[in-house]
Structure formats: C-alpha cells, structure tokens
Amino acid sequence: MAVTESAVAPVGSGSEGARAGHEDERAPARREYEGAPSAHEGILRRQAARESAARTYARALPIVPVRARGLTIEGADGRRYLDCLSGAGTLALGHNHPVVLEAIRKVLDSGAPLHVLDLATPVKDAFTTELFRTLPPGLADRARVQFCGPAGTDAVEAAFKLVRAATGRTGMLAFTGAYHGMTAGALEASGGAGDVRVARLPFPQDYRCPFGVGGERGAELAARWTESVLDDAKSGVPSPAGMILEPVQGEGGVIPAPDGWLRRMREITAARSIPLIADEVQTGVGRTGRFWAVEHSGVVPDVMVLSKAIGGSLPLAVVVYRDDLDVWQPGAHAGTFRGNQLAMAAGTATLAHVRQNGLAERAETLGARMLAHLGRLTEEFACVGDVRGRGLMIGIELVNPEAALPPGATGPHPPAPSIATAVQRECLRRGLIVELGGRHAGVVRLLPPLTLTDEQADAVLDRLTDAIASVATAAARGPGAVRHEAAVNPGLAPGG
C-alpha cells in the first residue's frame, strides 16, 4: 500500500473541510513558524528544564505541534505526522473539525458568558438534550446528570461519592488491569493501586487469561469468582457500594470485556442491589463501534462516567445515573469549572455529528478491517504476540519470543516493553504517532479519529507495519540491536 500525500488530506464525513473553505493540507508544509528547527529544539529544551518529571507523552513524543487538522499534526520543525493518539481518545472528530470550530465560534461571537458554575444556559440545555438522545434507552428514560470537574477522574470520584451516598456502604469492586484516573479514589480502583479500600476482581481476557484457559470458559470462571467473593461470608469483602468496570480496558492493554461476561456482571450486581458503574471515558462516543461500548452487550448500567470525547476536544466530564440514586443534598458535589460553555458547545456538535453521520458504525467497519490486517502480523513477526480491540480502539501486544518459559509452562511469551518502545519510536520516525499501554507498557495502541478515511487507514497500517518489521529485524539480532535501533536518531531521543 503506497502512502500518498492525499493520505493526510482533510477528513470527515464527506467533504466538510473543503466546504468550510479551509486550506488544503495536501499543499507543501509551510514554514511560517519563525526559525522552525531552532524554535523546535529550544522549546523542547525549555520544557525539559521547566516542567515536572511526571510528564509522560512529551518524553516519548518529542515534537512541538503548531498546527493540526483531522488526522494530521504539523510540528514546529515542519514535519507532518498522522496522529493515532487523538488526545488519548479525546478527539473523536480529529483536530479542529469544522463543526466543532463553528460551534465554539458561535458561542464566542454571541456574547454568552463562558463561566457560569452550574447555572442553566441555552448551551448547557442543548448539550444535555443531545447527550440524553444518545444514551442507552433504559438509562435515558430515567437519567440524571451531574457536571463535575473537567477531567474523567473527577467524574469517577463523583460516581464513587454518589453510590456511597445512595447505598450507605463504602467499599468498591474493581478489576485487575483497570485504569480510572489519577486522583486518590480513582487510583484506588486502578490496576496499579497500593493501599486500597477496593476489592480487586479478575478481568477476563483470552491472551493472558488469569485462569489459563481463555475464551468463554475463562470468562465464566471470572464471573464465578465474583459471585464467590460477594456471597462468601468469609471472603473478607463486605457488601460494596458499587462495581466499576471498563467495557474495553484501555490503559490495561486494549482488552474488550466479553459481552456474555458483561451481562453476567449486570445480573450479579442487580441481584445484590450493587450499582454498576460503566467507565466510558475512553470507549464512549462511537469509539468501539457503538455509541457507548456497553451497547455491544445490551447492558444498561446504573451509572455512566463520561469525559474525553464528550467535550469535543475541550475539558468536560459528567456522571449520568439512574434517578433513584439521586440522593445528594445541594452542594454534595461541586466544582468551579463544571459549567464550561465552550466545551458543552463543542461537545454538542461532536455528539450530533457522530450520531447523524453514523460514525460509530463506520468505526466498527473500518476497525474490523484494520484488525484483520494487523492480525496477520502475528504470523509474520514472532514479536507480535496478539492483536485485539473493538472498533477504532486497537492494541498490538509485543512479546519477547526468545524468552524461555518456566519448565512445564505454556501460554504467551513475556511482554516486551523495550520492543514496544522501539516500535513507537520507529513509528514516529515514519510520521506516525501511537501510544503505549498494557500491564508492562508492551502494547502499541491506536486511537485514530472516527473520521479516518480508507486511504488514511492504509497509510497508518503501512507505516505501522514498516515500523514493526524494522524492529522485528533488529530484535532477531538480539536486545542490543533493538536498543541500537531505538537510538539511531538522536533528534527523537526522549527527554521532553
């Protein structure tokens, strides 16, 4: 598949980019950014000197974006990249989509207040109306919405507070491999937690099944374990305030929850009056091939935690929940920036565009094609252990095929974070931005915008396949060769 300049052309449902009168991104990259190469290097140096050691993406992606449109980012050095990170899934329509920009400009030009705490406004009313239009029918019919602080982790905290208030209980159930945010309560429910008030349950998966069997049998054993923990008076787990799960674990390595298992979790929690919280922060707004990922299984949760794409690229987070859980007193949960009018306008435009243009269905079709192509890499390269995902939420797990398994052991080879890092770096050298995830950061993740065209998908697959082939060749020569390949371009060394 040849990569052409048109592979990075403006994208969308139809030709809205052209209709909006924006410039053609197929034109040669501009150098309007004064002193581009030196400015690029200087900005990276100052970032490394000034910013926290906690910075993450900047270390693996030492670029300085100055313009962006759709799938493409142009750096200060004049290079162009295909962005399959999409703000960690925030950019459902890609960068600067015309309908989003128009919605933001309309609010700015109207003279409407930009900050209103939790007061009612026409902008908020339009957002909640569109949001409720997209919700699973069993929830939309009797839903309430709480606007939170601007990040998904704030919505997770609010959901925990909600179910604790409604049930009078305190403990929570969560799953191995989970990621729910970086604030204290959300971290307790995430896979890397230490001192916790959360009971951890096994999350079913095929490739690294906790019970060593995978498939329906593995999912059934995981469900039975959950039932045992809840029903055994000596399990050490008192009746919890709620259960939180991701329909597809993102940071955990792009692991879709089996539909049958999700239905079992719904049955188990409903039978025991335990509110079920679906974390749709990354999976929502069409990402997995349904508007909300729980719709694959037909499950209707009691609570949904939403952020990222619902703000149309701007900060916005909400909790949507059954009305009988709404026992809060006024002021029981608040947040100064819960009334972000620009984010609500951008979010309304995004939700409506995804719904009206069938972008969830498009994600399902295109994602299946990309998964089929990438799945063949497991046969071609020994270091590609597994390819999985749902819709346009895709993961490629890299493994060390040379690592010896313990005597008598069977199953997959150990994860290879060094190989995954090398693949990410080789992708960047080829103008492709990807993320890493998984238990040991050994999974290359793709989260392209839902507006991805067939031609752009081919370009992404070309560059990714070429990067994997390059690293696999080096890996065959030994770990030292991988490290050498990862260091051949000092200009892309981490440190920003």
Side-chain angles (χ1 to χ4, degrees):
M1 294 177 288
V3 180
T4 65
E5 272 296 310
S6 61
V8 293
V11 298
S13 179
S15 56
E16 63 268 31
R19 291 198 303 270
H22 292 272
E23 65 172 337
D24 189 343
E25 287 191 346
R26 288 169 291 188
R30 298 176 300 168
R31 288 297 186 114
E32 291 180 4
Y33 200 79
E34 293 297 326
S38 59
H40 163 89
E41 295 165 6
I43 290 171
L44 290 179
R45 282 197 303 270
R46 288 189 290 276
Q47 180 185 40
R50 295 169 176 171
E51 291 191 21
S52 163
R55 65 191 184 280
T56 54
Y57 298 107
R59 294 180 181 275
L61 303 170
I63 61 177
V64 181
V66 294
R67 276 178 290 271
R69 175 70 180 282
L71 180 68
T72 63
I73 286 178
E74 183 180 334
D77 58 357
R79 292 194 65 197
R80 280 187 174 167
Y81 303 87
L82 305 182
D83 180 14
C84 282
L85 174 58
S86 300
T90 299
L91 305 171
L93 304 183
H95 294 276
N96 292 323
H97 193 282
V99 302
V100 173
L101 297 183
E102 181 182 0
I104 293 172
R105 290 192 186 102
K106 185 176 180 180
V107 174
L108 290 173
D109 293 343
S110 73
L114 301 183
H115 187 287
V116 293
L117 297 171
D118 66 353
L119 300 179
T121 70
V123 173
K124 179 193 279 189
D125 184 62
F127 174 80
T128 54
T129 298
E130 183 60 39
L131 176 64
F132 276 46
R133 185 178 286 131
T134 71
L135 293 175
L139 181 59
D141 296 342
R142 50 179 304 191
R144 294 289 185 270
V145 60
Q146 168 69 27
F147 289 84
C148 309
T153 191
D154 302 310
V156 170
E157 299 284 355
F160 289 177
K161 185 186 292 185
L162 172 75
V163 297
R164 283 170 173 151
T167 65
R169 304 188 290 263
T170 57
M172 296 296 301
L173 298 176
F175 292 88
T176 54
Y179 178 77
H180 298 292
M182 294 299 291
T183 51
L187 276 175
E188 282 190 340
S190 299
D195 184 22
V196 301
R197 296 178 296 163
V198 175
R200 194 77 52 199
L201 301 168
F203 192 87
Q205 55 174 305
D206 287 337
Y207 191 59
R208 297 190 186 277
C209 176
F211 303 103
V213 293
E216 292 184 7
R217 179 61 175 162
E220 172 62 20
L221 290 172
R224 289 189 183 186
W225 180 270
T226 299
E227 286 183 308
S228 175
V229 165
L230 290 172
D231 295 342
D232 183 353
K234 296 296 183 180
S235 70
V237 178
S239 184
M243 172 190 285
I244 186 168
L245 56 77
E246 299 159 275
V248 181
Q249 288 195 343
E251 306 306 318
V254 192
I255 304 174
D259 291 338
W261 175 84
L262 264 178
R263 288 190 285 269
R264 285 290 302 279
M265 293 303 102
R266 173 68 285 186
E267 292 167 2
I268 289 169
T269 52
R272 294 159 179 80
S273 299
I274 301 170
L276 178 63
I277 305 168
D279 183 339
E280 292 258 15
V281 168
Q282 192 167 99
T283 55
V285 194
R287 169 63 56 191
T288 70
R290 296 288 190 275
F291 209 98
W292 307 107
V294 291
E295 293 178 302
H296 288 284
S297 62
V299 162
V300 178
D302 302 300
V303 183
M304 290 177 65
V305 176
L306 313 177
S307 187
K308 290 191 185 291
I310 67 162
S313 76
L314 299 179
L316 187 63
V318 303
V319 181
V320 179
Y321 53 92
R322 270 194 357 252
D323 55 4
D324 61 299
L325 297 174
D326 197 21
V327 300
W328 276 340
Q329 296 299 310
H333 193 78
T336 302
F337 293 102
R338 65 192 187 278
N340 189 333
Q341 298 293 281
L342 293 183
M344 291 177 190
T348 303
T350 298
L351 294 170
H353 193 80
V354 171
R355 177 179 59 81
Q356 293 166 359
N357 291 278
L359 295 190
E361 294 79 5
R362 166 68 176 166
E364 183 173 41
T365 301
L366 185 55
R369 182 168 77 82
M370 295 178 72
L371 280 167
H373 173 95
L374 293 169
R376 292 191 286 272
L377 300 183
T378 61
E379 303 171 1
E380 189 173 353
F381 303 110
C383 64
V384 179
D386 192 37
V387 174
R388 54 187 179 256
R390 208 155 202 177
L392 289 176
M393 191 171 180
I394 297 171
I396 304 100
E397 182 163 346
L398 283 304
V399 299
N400 180 2
E402 304 302 321
L405 296 175
T410 60
H413 289 284
S418 62
I419 294 178
T421 299
V423 168
Q424 183 186 44
R425 193 181 299 267
E426 287 298 312
C427 284
L428 193 63
R429 292 180 64 194
R430 289 160 175 77
L432 175 64
I433 297 173
V434 297
E435 186 180 10
L436 299 184
R439 306 302 208 268
H440 303 277
V443 178
V444 173
R445 302 184 58 202
L446 298 179
L447 292 164
L450 309 187
T451 51
L452 190 72
T453 66
D454 288 344
E455 190 177 17
Q456 290 173 326
D458 288 343
V460 168
L461 293 172
D462 262 352
R463 298 183 192 194
L464 177 57
T465 301
D466 192 47
I468 291 173
S470 174
V471 174
T473 300
R477 301 198 302 269
V482 174
R483 288 192 294 269
H484 172 76
E485 291 291 333
V488 293
N489 192 337
L492 293 182

mmCIF file of all heavy atoms in Angstrom, residues 429-470:
data_model
loop_
_atom_site.group_PDB
_atom_site.id
_atom_site.type_symbol
_atom_site.label_atom_id
_atom_site.label_comp_id
_atom_site.label_asym_id
_atom_site.label_seq_id
_atom_site.Cartn_x
_atom_site.Cartn_y
_atom_site.Cartn_z
ATOM 1 N N ARG A 429 9.435 8.127 13.660
ATOM 2 C CA ARG A 429 10.381 8.442 12.579
ATOM 3 C C ARG A 429 9.693 8.404 11.231
ATOM 4 O O ARG A 429 10.107 9.095 10.297
ATOM 5 C CB ARG A 429 11.547 7.455 12.595
ATOM 6 C CG ARG A 429 12.467 7.582 13.814
ATOM 7 C CD ARG A 429 13.593 6.577 13.746
ATOM 8 N NE ARG A 429 14.452 6.847 12.607
ATOM 9 C CZ ARG A 429 15.352 5.990 12.129
ATOM 10 N NH1 ARG A 429 15.477 4.798 12.670
ATOM 11 N NH2 ARG A 429 16.108 6.315 11.097
ATOM 12 N N ARG A 430 8.644 7.612 11.122
ATOM 13 C CA ARG A 430 7.901 7.491 9.864
ATOM 14 C C ARG A 430 6.688 8.415 9.827
ATOM 15 O O ARG A 430 5.845 8.311 8.939
ATOM 16 C CB ARG A 430 7.456 6.029 9.684
ATOM 17 C CG ARG A 430 8.625 5.103 9.362
ATOM 18 C CD ARG A 430 8.307 3.657 9.667
ATOM 19 N NE ARG A 430 9.388 2.767 9.255
ATOM 20 C CZ ARG A 430 10.535 2.602 9.918
ATOM 21 N NH1 ARG A 430 10.741 3.264 11.054
ATOM 22 N NH2 ARG A 430 11.475 1.792 9.460
ATOM 23 N N GLY A 431 6.567 9.292 10.817
ATOM 24 C CA GLY A 431 5.474 10.255 10.819
ATOM 25 C C GLY A 431 4.169 9.704 11.327
ATOM 26 O O GLY A 431 3.095 10.121 10.888
ATOM 27 N N LEU A 432 4.234 8.760 12.278
ATOM 28 C CA LEU A 432 3.024 8.177 12.848
ATOM 29 C C LEU A 432 3.107 8.239 14.371
ATOM 30 O O LEU A 432 4.079 7.765 14.968
ATOM 31 C CB LEU A 432 2.874 6.716 12.403
ATOM 32 C CG LEU A 432 1.704 5.922 13.011
ATOM 33 C CD1 LEU A 432 0.364 6.532 12.579
ATOM 34 C CD2 LEU A 432 1.779 4.453 12.600
ATOM 35 N N ILE A 433 2.095 8.811 14.993
ATOM 36 C CA ILE A 433 2.044 8.938 16.454
ATOM 37 C C ILE A 433 1.148 7.842 17.022
ATOM 38 O O ILE A 433 -0.031 7.741 16.666
ATOM 39 C CB ILE A 433 1.495 10.320 16.861
ATOM 40 C CG1 ILE A 433 2.441 11.428 16.377
ATOM 41 C CG2 ILE A 433 1.317 10.402 18.377
ATOM 42 C CD1 ILE A 433 1.883 12.832 16.581
ATOM 43 N N VAL A 434 1.721 6.996 17.880
ATOM 44 C CA VAL A 434 0.954 5.950 18.560
ATOM 45 C C VAL A 434 1.261 6.008 20.049
ATOM 46 O O VAL A 434 2.251 6.605 20.472
ATOM 47 C CB VAL A 434 1.290 4.546 18.009
ATOM 48 C CG1 VAL A 434 0.903 4.432 16.544
ATOM 49 C CG2 VAL A 434 2.762 4.205 18.216
ATOM 50 N N GLU A 435 0.392 5.367 20.831
ATOM 51 C CA GLU A 435 0.544 5.340 22.287
ATOM 52 C C GLU A 435 0.928 3.938 22.723
ATOM 53 O O GLU A 435 0.696 2.960 22.007
ATOM 54 C CB GLU A 435 -0.764 5.762 22.963
ATOM 55 C CG GLU A 435 -0.661 5.895 24.474
ATOM 56 C CD GLU A 435 -1.969 6.313 25.120
ATOM 57 O OE1 GLU A 435 -3.001 6.323 24.441
ATOM 58 O OE2 GLU A 435 -1.944 6.632 26.322
ATOM 59 N N LEU A 436 1.507 3.832 23.928
ATOM 60 C CA LEU A 436 1.778 2.538 24.538
ATOM 61 C C LEU A 436 0.867 2.334 25.737
ATOM 62 O O LEU A 436 0.459 3.289 26.398
ATOM 63 C CB LEU A 436 3.242 2.436 24.986
ATOM 64 C CG LEU A 436 4.314 2.569 23.908
ATOM 65 C CD1 LEU A 436 5.691 2.334 24.516
ATOM 66 C CD2 LEU A 436 4.070 1.617 22.753
ATOM 67 N N GLY A 437 0.553 1.089 26.036
ATOM 68 C CA GLY A 437 -0.264 0.767 27.197
ATOM 69 C C GLY A 437 -0.004 -0.665 27.609
ATOM 70 O O GLY A 437 0.989 -1.272 27.221
ATOM 71 N N GLY A 438 -0.908 -1.227 28.383
ATOM 72 C CA GLY A 438 -0.751 -2.595 28.825
ATOM 73 C C GLY A 438 -0.061 -2.701 30.165
ATOM 74 O O GLY A 438 0.466 -1.725 30.701
ATOM 75 N N ARG A 439 -0.072 -3.924 30.698
ATOM 76 C CA ARG A 439 0.465 -4.151 32.040
ATOM 77 C C ARG A 439 1.911 -3.714 32.171
ATOM 78 O O ARG A 439 2.331 -3.216 33.192
ATOM 79 C CB ARG A 439 0.366 -5.631 32.421
ATOM 80 C CG ARG A 439 -1.022 -6.263 32.315
ATOM 81 C CD ARG A 439 -2.055 -5.539 33.185
ATOM 82 N NE ARG A 439 -3.124 -6.413 33.607
ATOM 83 C CZ ARG A 439 -4.268 -6.590 32.962
ATOM 84 N NH1 ARG A 439 -4.506 -5.936 31.838
ATOM 85 N NH2 ARG A 439 -5.176 -7.420 33.438
ATOM 86 N N HIS A 440 2.706 -3.908 31.140
ATOM 87 C CA HIS A 440 4.125 -3.560 31.193
ATOM 88 C C HIS A 440 4.487 -2.578 30.085
ATOM 89 O O HIS A 440 5.632 -2.553 29.631
ATOM 90 C CB HIS A 440 4.978 -4.827 31.072
ATOM 91 C CG HIS A 440 4.686 -5.852 32.123
ATOM 92 N ND1 HIS A 440 5.240 -5.795 33.383
ATOM 93 C CD2 HIS A 440 3.877 -6.949 32.117
ATOM 94 C CE1 HIS A 440 4.797 -6.826 34.106
ATOM 95 N NE2 HIS A 440 3.969 -7.533 33.363
ATOM 96 N N ALA A 441 3.507 -1.770 29.635
ATOM 97 C CA ALA A 441 3.722 -0.828 28.527
ATOM 98 C C ALA A 441 4.242 -1.561 27.304
ATOM 99 O O ALA A 441 5.070 -1.049 26.557
ATOM 100 C CB ALA A 441 4.669 0.302 28.938
ATOM 101 N N GLY A 442 3.720 -2.783 27.086
ATOM 102 C CA GLY A 442 4.152 -3.589 25.957
ATOM 103 C C GLY A 442 3.143 -3.638 24.827
ATOM 104 O O GLY A 442 3.292 -4.446 23.906
ATOM 105 N N VAL A 443 2.110 -2.792 24.879
ATOM 106 C CA VAL A 443 1.058 -2.796 23.865
ATOM 107 C C VAL A 443 1.075 -1.477 23.106
ATOM 108 O O VAL A 443 0.985 -0.400 23.710
ATOM 109 C CB VAL A 443 -0.330 -3.015 24.503
ATOM 110 C CG1 VAL A 443 -1.432 -2.960 23.442
ATOM 111 C CG2 VAL A 443 -0.367 -4.343 25.246
ATOM 112 N N VAL A 444 1.229 -1.551 21.789
ATOM 113 C CA VAL A 444 1.115 -0.368 20.935
ATOM 114 C C VAL A 444 -0.363 -0.125 20.678
ATOM 115 O O VAL A 444 -1.094 -1.035 20.243
ATOM 116 C CB VAL A 444 1.862 -0.576 19.601
ATOM 117 C CG1 VAL A 444 1.589 0.585 18.647
ATOM 118 C CG2 VAL A 444 3.362 -0.710 19.859
ATOM 119 N N ARG A 445 -0.828 1.078 20.963
ATOM 120 C CA ARG A 445 -2.245 1.396 20.895
ATOM 121 C C ARG A 445 -2.550 2.376 19.767
ATOM 122 O O ARG A 445 -1.808 3.330 19.544
ATOM 123 C CB ARG A 445 -2.721 1.999 22.220
ATOM 124 C CG ARG A 445 -2.504 1.111 23.435
ATOM 125 C CD ARG A 445 -3.094 1.756 24.675
ATOM 126 N NE ARG A 445 -4.510 2.002 24.471
ATOM 127 C CZ ARG A 445 -5.210 2.904 25.155
ATOM 128 N NH1 ARG A 445 -4.619 3.649 26.074
ATOM 129 N NH2 ARG A 445 -6.493 3.074 24.918
ATOM 130 N N LEU A 446 -3.671 2.138 19.077
ATOM 131 C CA LEU A 446 -4.158 3.042 18.036
ATOM 132 C C LEU A 446 -5.522 3.574 18.454
ATOM 133 O O LEU A 446 -6.440 2.809 18.748
ATOM 134 C CB LEU A 446 -4.300 2.301 16.702
ATOM 135 C CG LEU A 446 -3.042 1.701 16.082
ATOM 136 C CD1 LEU A 446 -3.385 0.986 14.778
ATOM 137 C CD2 LEU A 446 -1.998 2.765 15.828
ATOM 138 N N LEU A 447 -5.642 4.903 18.472
ATOM 139 C CA LEU A 447 -6.910 5.582 18.771
ATOM 140 C C LEU A 447 -7.137 6.673 17.722
ATOM 141 O O LEU A 447 -7.229 7.859 18.048
ATOM 142 C CB LEU A 447 -6.862 6.205 20.168
ATOM 143 C CG LEU A 447 -6.823 5.255 21.364
ATOM 144 C CD1 LEU A 447 -6.392 6.002 22.627
ATOM 145 C CD2 LEU A 447 -8.194 4.609 21.570
ATOM 146 N N PRO A 448 -7.234 6.312 16.446
ATOM 147 C CA PRO A 448 -7.392 7.338 15.411
ATOM 148 C C PRO A 448 -8.763 7.994 15.504
ATOM 149 O O PRO A 448 -9.691 7.443 16.104
ATOM 150 C CB PRO A 448 -7.256 6.537 14.113
ATOM 151 C CG PRO A 448 -7.729 5.169 14.472
ATOM 152 C CD PRO A 448 -7.273 4.949 15.891
ATOM 153 N N PRO A 449 -8.926 9.168 14.894
ATOM 154 C CA PRO A 449 -10.250 9.806 14.897
ATOM 155 C C PRO A 449 -11.260 8.966 14.131
ATOM 156 O O PRO A 449 -10.904 8.191 13.224
ATOM 157 C CB PRO A 449 -9.987 11.152 14.217
ATOM 158 C CG PRO A 449 -8.732 10.968 13.442
ATOM 159 C CD PRO A 449 -7.914 9.974 14.206
ATOM 160 N N LEU A 450 -12.526 9.120 14.478
ATOM 161 C CA LEU A 450 -13.587 8.362 13.819
ATOM 162 C C LEU A 450 -13.802 8.821 12.384
ATOM 163 O O LEU A 450 -14.509 8.148 11.625
ATOM 164 C CB LEU A 450 -14.901 8.498 14.601
ATOM 165 C CG LEU A 450 -14.858 8.207 16.095
ATOM 166 C CD1 LEU A 450 -16.272 8.231 16.672
ATOM 167 C CD2 LEU A 450 -14.180 6.882 16.391
ATOM 168 N N THR A 451 -13.207 9.926 12.006
ATOM 169 C CA THR A 451 -13.310 10.450 10.650
ATOM 170 C C THR A 451 -12.246 9.869 9.726
ATOM 171 O O THR A 451 -12.106 10.310 8.581
ATOM 172 C CB THR A 451 -13.173 11.984 10.683
ATOM 173 O OG1 THR A 451 -11.998 12.329 11.432
ATOM 174 C CG2 THR A 451 -14.379 12.632 11.329
ATOM 175 N N LEU A 452 -11.495 8.900 10.189
ATOM 176 C CA LEU A 452 -10.429 8.269 9.408
ATOM 177 C C LEU A 452 -10.981 7.737 8.084
ATOM 178 O O LEU A 452 -11.988 7.029 8.051
ATOM 179 C CB LEU A 452 -9.843 7.119 10.218
ATOM 180 C CG LEU A 452 -8.565 6.450 9.715
ATOM 181 C CD1 LEU A 452 -7.371 7.376 9.898
ATOM 182 C CD2 LEU A 452 -8.332 5.131 10.468
ATOM 183 N N THR A 453 -10.311 8.074 6.988
ATOM 184 C CA THR A 453 -10.721 7.565 5.679
ATOM 185 C C THR A 453 -10.023 6.240 5.397
ATOM 186 O O THR A 453 -9.045 5.871 6.048
ATOM 187 C CB THR A 453 -10.362 8.558 4.563
ATOM 188 O OG1 THR A 453 -8.934 8.643 4.461
ATOM 189 C CG2 THR A 453 -10.934 9.945 4.847
ATOM 190 N N ASP A 454 -10.503 5.523 4.368
ATOM 191 C CA ASP A 454 -9.860 4.268 3.979
ATOM 192 C C ASP A 454 -8.409 4.502 3.589
ATOM 193 O O ASP A 454 -7.513 3.724 3.943
ATOM 194 C CB ASP A 454 -10.606 3.631 2.807
ATOM 195 C CG ASP A 454 -11.957 3.050 3.213
ATOM 196 O OD1 ASP A 454 -12.183 2.859 4.426
ATOM 197 O OD2 ASP A 454 -12.781 2.789 2.320
ATOM 198 N N GLU A 455 -8.168 5.568 2.844
ATOM 199 C CA GLU A 455 -6.811 5.857 2.384
ATOM 200 C C GLU A 455 -5.895 6.185 3.560
ATOM 201 O O GLU A 455 -4.744 5.743 3.610
ATOM 202 C CB GLU A 455 -6.835 7.017 1.385
ATOM 203 C CG GLU A 455 -5.495 7.231 0.682
ATOM 204 C CD GLU A 455 -5.567 8.325 -0.356
ATOM 205 O OE1 GLU A 455 -6.519 9.129 -0.321
ATOM 206 O OE2 GLU A 455 -4.655 8.381 -1.206
ATOM 207 N N GLN A 456 -6.409 6.944 4.508
ATOM 208 C CA GLN A 456 -5.615 7.258 5.692
ATOM 209 C C GLN A 456 -5.346 6.005 6.520
ATOM 210 O O GLN A 456 -4.255 5.828 7.064
ATOM 211 C CB GLN A 456 -6.329 8.307 6.535
ATOM 212 C CG GLN A 456 -6.350 9.680 5.898
ATOM 213 C CD GLN A 456 -7.197 10.653 6.682
ATOM 214 O OE1 GLN A 456 -8.205 10.274 7.279
ATOM 215 N NE2 GLN A 456 -6.818 11.914 6.686
ATOM 216 N N ALA A 457 -6.347 5.138 6.626
ATOM 217 C CA ALA A 457 -6.149 3.884 7.352
ATOM 218 C C ALA A 457 -5.038 3.068 6.710
ATOM 219 O O ALA A 457 -4.197 2.477 7.403
ATOM 220 C CB ALA A 457 -7.450 3.083 7.381
ATOM 221 N N ASP A 458 -5.001 3.025 5.374
ATOM 222 C CA ASP A 458 -3.934 2.314 4.684
ATOM 223 C C ASP A 458 -2.572 2.925 4.995
ATOM 224 O O ASP A 458 -1.588 2.211 5.188
ATOM 225 C CB ASP A 458 -4.174 2.336 3.178
ATOM 226 C CG ASP A 458 -5.329 1.444 2.758
ATOM 227 O OD1 ASP A 458 -5.732 0.581 3.560
ATOM 228 O OD2 ASP A 458 -5.835 1.610 1.624
ATOM 229 N N ALA A 459 -2.527 4.261 5.059
ATOM 230 C CA ALA A 459 -1.262 4.930 5.378
ATOM 231 C C ALA A 459 -0.807 4.579 6.783
ATOM 232 O O ALA A 459 0.385 4.319 7.022
ATOM 233 C CB ALA A 459 -1.422 6.449 5.231
ATOM 234 N N VAL A 460 -1.741 4.565 7.730
ATOM 235 C CA VAL A 460 -1.409 4.192 9.115
ATOM 236 C C VAL A 460 -0.890 2.770 9.172
ATOM 237 O O VAL A 460 0.147 2.474 9.796
ATOM 238 C CB VAL A 460 -2.644 4.360 10.023
ATOM 239 C CG1 VAL A 460 -2.406 3.711 11.385
ATOM 240 C CG2 VAL A 460 -2.998 5.831 10.191
ATOM 241 N N LEU A 461 -1.589 1.855 8.508
ATOM 242 C CA LEU A 461 -1.181 0.451 8.523
ATOM 243 C C LEU A 461 0.184 0.267 7.857
ATOM 244 O O LEU A 461 0.999 -0.533 8.328
ATOM 245 C CB LEU A 461 -2.237 -0.402 7.814
ATOM 246 C CG LEU A 461 -3.595 -0.484 8.516
ATOM 247 C CD1 LEU A 461 -4.610 -1.196 7.620
ATOM 248 C CD2 LEU A 461 -3.478 -1.191 9.855
ATOM 249 N N ASP A 462 0.419 0.974 6.763
ATOM 250 C CA ASP A 462 1.717 0.901 6.087
ATOM 251 C C ASP A 462 2.853 1.294 7.026
ATOM 252 O O ASP A 462 3.856 0.585 7.153
ATOM 253 C CB ASP A 462 1.734 1.845 4.879
ATOM 254 C CG ASP A 462 1.445 1.126 3.577
ATOM 255 O OD1 ASP A 462 1.376 -0.118 3.594
ATOM 256 O OD2 ASP A 462 1.298 1.799 2.548
ATOM 257 N N ARG A 463 2.692 2.440 7.657
ATOM 258 C CA ARG A 463 3.772 2.962 8.499
ATOM 259 C C ARG A 463 3.978 2.085 9.734
ATOM 260 O O ARG A 463 5.117 1.841 10.144
ATOM 261 C CB ARG A 463 3.467 4.401 8.897
ATOM 262 C CG ARG A 463 3.387 5.326 7.687
ATOM 263 C CD ARG A 463 3.146 6.774 8.066
ATOM 264 N NE ARG A 463 2.807 7.563 6.875
ATOM 265 C CZ ARG A 463 2.796 8.878 6.822
ATOM 266 N NH1 ARG A 463 3.090 9.587 7.910
ATOM 267 N NH2 ARG A 463 2.484 9.514 5.712
ATOM 268 N N LEU A 464 2.883 1.638 10.322
ATOM 269 C CA LEU A 464 2.998 0.784 11.500
ATOM 270 C C LEU A 464 3.643 -0.554 11.148
ATOM 271 O O LEU A 464 4.530 -1.041 11.857
ATOM 272 C CB LEU A 464 1.618 0.566 12.113
ATOM 273 C CG LEU A 464 1.541 -0.377 13.322
ATOM 274 C CD1 LEU A 464 2.463 0.104 14.447
ATOM 275 C CD2 LEU A 464 0.112 -0.488 13.817
ATOM 276 N N THR A 465 3.201 -1.156 10.056
ATOM 277 C CA THR A 465 3.784 -2.436 9.632
ATOM 278 C C THR A 465 5.264 -2.288 9.343
ATOM 279 O O THR A 465 6.084 -3.143 9.720
ATOM 280 C CB THR A 465 3.043 -2.971 8.392
ATOM 281 O OG1 THR A 465 1.667 -3.145 8.698
ATOM 282 C CG2 THR A 465 3.629 -4.295 7.931
ATOM 283 N N ASP A 466 5.637 -1.210 8.666
ATOM 284 C CA ASP A 466 7.043 -0.970 8.352
ATOM 285 C C ASP A 466 7.864 -0.793 9.622
ATOM 286 O O ASP A 466 8.989 -1.301 9.735
ATOM 287 C CB ASP A 466 7.158 0.269 7.463
ATOM 288 C CG ASP A 466 8.546 0.422 6.859
ATOM 289 O OD1 ASP A 466 9.079 -0.561 6.341
ATOM 290 O OD2 ASP A 466 9.095 1.543 6.925
ATOM 291 N N ALA A 467 7.299 -0.090 10.611
ATOM 292 C CA ALA A 467 7.997 0.113 11.885
ATOM 293 C C ALA A 467 8.191 -1.207 12.616
ATOM 294 O O ALA A 467 9.273 -1.495 13.150
ATOM 295 C CB ALA A 467 7.228 1.097 12.752
ATOM 296 N N ILE A 468 7.154 -2.036 12.645
ATOM 297 C CA ILE A 468 7.253 -3.333 13.313
ATOM 298 C C ILE A 468 8.272 -4.215 12.611
ATOM 299 O O ILE A 468 9.083 -4.898 13.253
ATOM 300 C CB ILE A 468 5.880 -4.021 13.371
ATOM 301 C CG1 ILE A 468 4.956 -3.262 14.340
ATOM 302 C CG2 ILE A 468 6.007 -5.483 13.802
ATOM 303 C CD1 ILE A 468 3.528 -3.766 14.351
ATOM 304 N N ALA A 469 8.262 -4.203 11.276
ATOM 305 C CA ALA A 469 9.220 -5.009 10.520
ATOM 306 C C ALA A 469 10.649 -4.586 10.835
ATOM 307 O O ALA A 469 11.544 -5.429 11.010
ATOM 308 C CB ALA A 469 8.944 -4.879 9.026
ATOM 309 N N SER A 470 10.875 -3.284 10.925
ATOM 310 C CA SER A 470 12.211 -2.781 11.226
ATOM 311 C C SER A 470 12.672 -3.240 12.606
ATOM 312 O O SER A 470 13.807 -3.702 12.791
ATOM 313 C CB SER A 470 12.222 -1.250 11.145
ATOM 314 O OG SER A 470 13.464 -0.728 11.561
#
